Amino acid sequence: AQSVTQLDSHVSVSEGTPVLLRCNYSSSYSPSLFWYVQHPNKGLQLLLKYTSAATLVKGINGFEAEFKKSETSFHLTKPSAHMSDAAEYFCVVSEHPIIQGAQKLVFGQGTRLTINP
Amino acid sequence: SAVISQKPSRDICQRGTSLTIQCQVDSQVTMMFWYRQQPGQSLTLIATANQGSEATYESGFVIDKFPISRPNLTFSTLTVSNMSPEDSSIYLCSTDRTGAPYGYTFGSGTRLTVV
């Protein structure tokens, strides 16, 4: 079974400084990986996705993530944090290769990002 | 990407009653998924709903408690039955229909409080 571990439950950075949210996964094959963001009282929004193409994935709002198979990691980064980035972030892995059709997703426990002025 | 309309957005219900949550997708989709997000927790899959067949439930979830309907390729409902305060959560639906290459779209969620 696939699994996801988000290494930090809470990350706090100052506005304008870099953001790093860490994610490790476990999979018996080349997985599809996602990062979602959930703002307070809002739904889930897809930030970016990795599906066996380029290992460096660029997403919305200046976020990007790098798939490192040797480290089984998919960390999310942003060069400069903005106050609007404060939210809950979820690293997600698909249970089976997406190319086999729609598959259920396995969510990490989430990382709460706080931005200090 | 597909757009999902989910309703109600929130509700406060008495224990012992039932609530039906609806999700409408703006295009035909193969599978729909229902998730629960308990307070301060991550999302947990309840069941997968495929049109024309019975839903497939994850461990810890049963049809009597969470009956699901999937009458066509654009619509699904989840009922939370005989509610207790422990059912207070956000419930979200999701689908696989996306723009290329892949990704999943979620409804805005239903915030349920059981009193």
Side-chain angles (χ1 to χ4, degrees):
Chain A
Q2 320 315 315
S3 66
V4 173
T5 301
Q6 291 183 243
L7 300 172
D8 307 293
S9 59
H10 184 209
V11 170
S12 181
V13 302
S14 297
E15 188 175 20
T17 64
V19 175
L20 170 64
L21 304 184
R22 298 181 296 165
C23 172
N24 286 107
Y25 68 91
S26 171
S27 176
S28 55
Y29 52 83
S30 295
S32 293
L33 293 157
F34 310 81
W35 276 98
Y36 281 86
V37 61
Q38 186 178 40
H39 290 276
N41 300 311
K42 296 287 181 63
L44 284 164
Q45 182 181 21
L46 179 67
L47 277 179
L48 49 80
K49 53 198 174 193
Y50 167 78
T51 53
S52 74
T55 56
L56 182 61
V57 183
K58 294 188 183 298
I60 62 172
N61 302 334
F63 285 95
E64 62 181 38
E66 186 171 8
F67 173 72
K68 292 186 176 180
K69 186 175 182 178
S70 61
E71 299 176 10
T72 61
S73 69
F74 191 58
H75 301 333
L76 181 71
T77 60
K78 182 173 181 176
S80 177
H82 191 273
M83 294 299 292
S84 62
D85 293 328
E88 189 85 15
Y89 291 79
F90 293 98
C91 183
V92 182
V93 65
S94 63
E95 190 186 49
H96 295 291
I98 295 291
I99 58 174
Q100 294 182 4
Q103 299 292 343
K104 63 183 183 184
L105 303 178
V106 177
F107 281 74
Q109 286 303 108
T111 297
R112 182 162 57 94
L113 178 62
T114 302
I115 311 297
N116 303 310
Chain B
S1 296
V3 174
I4 303 177
S5 299
Q6 182 174 345
K7 60 181 181 181
S9 59
R10 59 179 63 229
D11 207 342
I12 301 174
C13 300
Q14 297 291 323
R15 68 177 66 201
T17 63
S18 298
L19 175 71
T20 295
I21 302 167
Q22 301 180 0
C23 276
Q24 177 76 51
V25 189
D26 68 346
S27 57
Q28 293 185 342
V29 296
T30 306
M31 290 185 179
M32 293 185 72
F33 305 89
W34 287 96
Y35 290 86
R36 181 176 72 182
Q37 186 178 23
Q38 294 178 297
Q41 302 292 317
S42 186
L43 279 74
T44 301
L45 182 66
I46 297 171
T48 302
N50 202 355
Q51 194 269 336
S53 62
E54 283 197 6
T56 301
Y57 289 82
E58 298 299 304
S59 175
F61 298 96
V62 295
I63 188 172
D64 290 346
K65 177 67 176 177
F66 298 101
I68 287 171
S69 77
R70 184 80 202 276
N72 57 53
L73 290 173
T74 64
F75 188 77
S76 180
T77 67
L78 170 77
T79 299
V80 186
S81 303
N82 188 24
M83 289 183 286
S84 66
E86 291 71 34
D87 294 320
S88 298
S89 297
I90 299 172
Y91 293 85
L92 301 101
C93 60
S94 175
T95 180
D96 64 311
R97 186 58 176 257
T98 69
Y102 303 107
Y104 288 74
T105 304
F106 286 80
S108 55
T110 297
R111 184 179 294 272
L112 171 63
T113 302
V114 183
V115 297

